[in-house]
Amino acid sequence: MPSFDKNKKERIELFLDKEKDADVIAFLNNSGATRAGLIRHILHEYVTNSKKGTSIYRFRD
């Protein structure tokens, strides 16, 4: 595990239900080099897009 400096970083933990979130867990396992790296990237993109007033999770009818 990488070094963790409490003064520089905030630690976030996710708890997923193995049955209800099986598709999310499979996506994380198949898509990310590391789970933390993928989650960090997704959250960064979400914040960046929310500041622009757009959403990367827009549903199309």
Side-chain angles (χ1 to χ4, degrees):
M1 186 167 146
S3 63
F4 178 70
D5 184 356
K6 291 183 181 182
N7 296 323
K8 295 182 179 180
K9 298 181 182 180
E10 184 72 28
R11 183 179 176 97
I12 297 174
E13 293 184 25
L14 296 176
F15 297 97
L16 301 173
D17 184 279
K18 287 184 180 181
E19 293 176 7
K20 292 180 182 178
D21 301 318
D23 54 342
V24 174
I25 293 168
F27 176 79
L28 290 172
N29 286 336
N30 294 331
S31 300
T34 64
R35 290 182 183 189
L38 178 64
I39 293 167
R40 184 172 43 248
H41 174 72
I42 292 170
L43 291 173
H44 175 75
E45 289 296 319
Y46 175 80
V47 170
T48 301
N49 288 321
S50 67
K51 289 179 181 177
K52 294 178 184 176
T54 61
S55 175
I56 60 174
Y57 302 107
R58 188 175 306 163
F59 294 102
R60 295 183 184 190
D61 296 329

